Amino acid sequence: MAWIRTVPESEATGIVKEEYEAGIERAGRVYNIVKLFSIKPESLKVFINQYKVAMFGPSKLSRAQREMIATVVSQINSCRY
């Protein structure tokens, strides 16, 4: 398994800290996929915005359907989270 350096929650500042806190508020924790982008704060911001559009933006799919698709794709990709 590859190892990628990330910013620990206790060391987060600026955009990273804001997004970590938002993640905790939204999901009760900071998921590793969010931490993956932490060393490039501008990339983290883009990733979070893309996530918000995909999951909460206008769509013919319901929120539940989008979550189901995400779950199936994660399972197919052997994603642990």
Side-chain angles (χ1 to χ4, degrees):
M1 176 177 210
W3 179 84
I4 299 171
R5 183 173 56 90
T6 63
V7 176
E9 292 174 51
S10 61
E11 297 176 20
T13 61
I15 292 171
V16 175
K17 184 174 182 171
E18 290 171 18
E19 295 301 341
Y20 279 12
E21 289 172 350
I24 291 168
E25 192 171 313
R26 186 173 51 249
R29 66 185 210 147
V30 181
Y31 284 97
N32 287 334
I33 188 71
V34 174
K35 289 180 182 180
L36 175 67
F37 289 92
S38 65
I39 61 170
K40 298 279 188 181
E42 289 305 318
S43 294
L44 174 59
K45 196 96 172 144
V46 170
F47 167 73
I48 294 295
N49 287 335
Q50 181 181 3
Y51 165 78
K52 287 178 180 176
V53 168
M55 297 308 284
F56 301 103
S59 176
K60 292 181 179 181
L61 299 175
S62 70
R63 174 86 167 103
Q65 289 171 316
R66 294 183 229 193
E67 285 292 344
M68 286 187 277
I69 291 168
T71 300
V72 170
V73 170
S74 292
Q75 179 64 36
I76 290 169
N77 289 327
S78 300
C79 181
R80 295 185 208 169
Y81 47 89

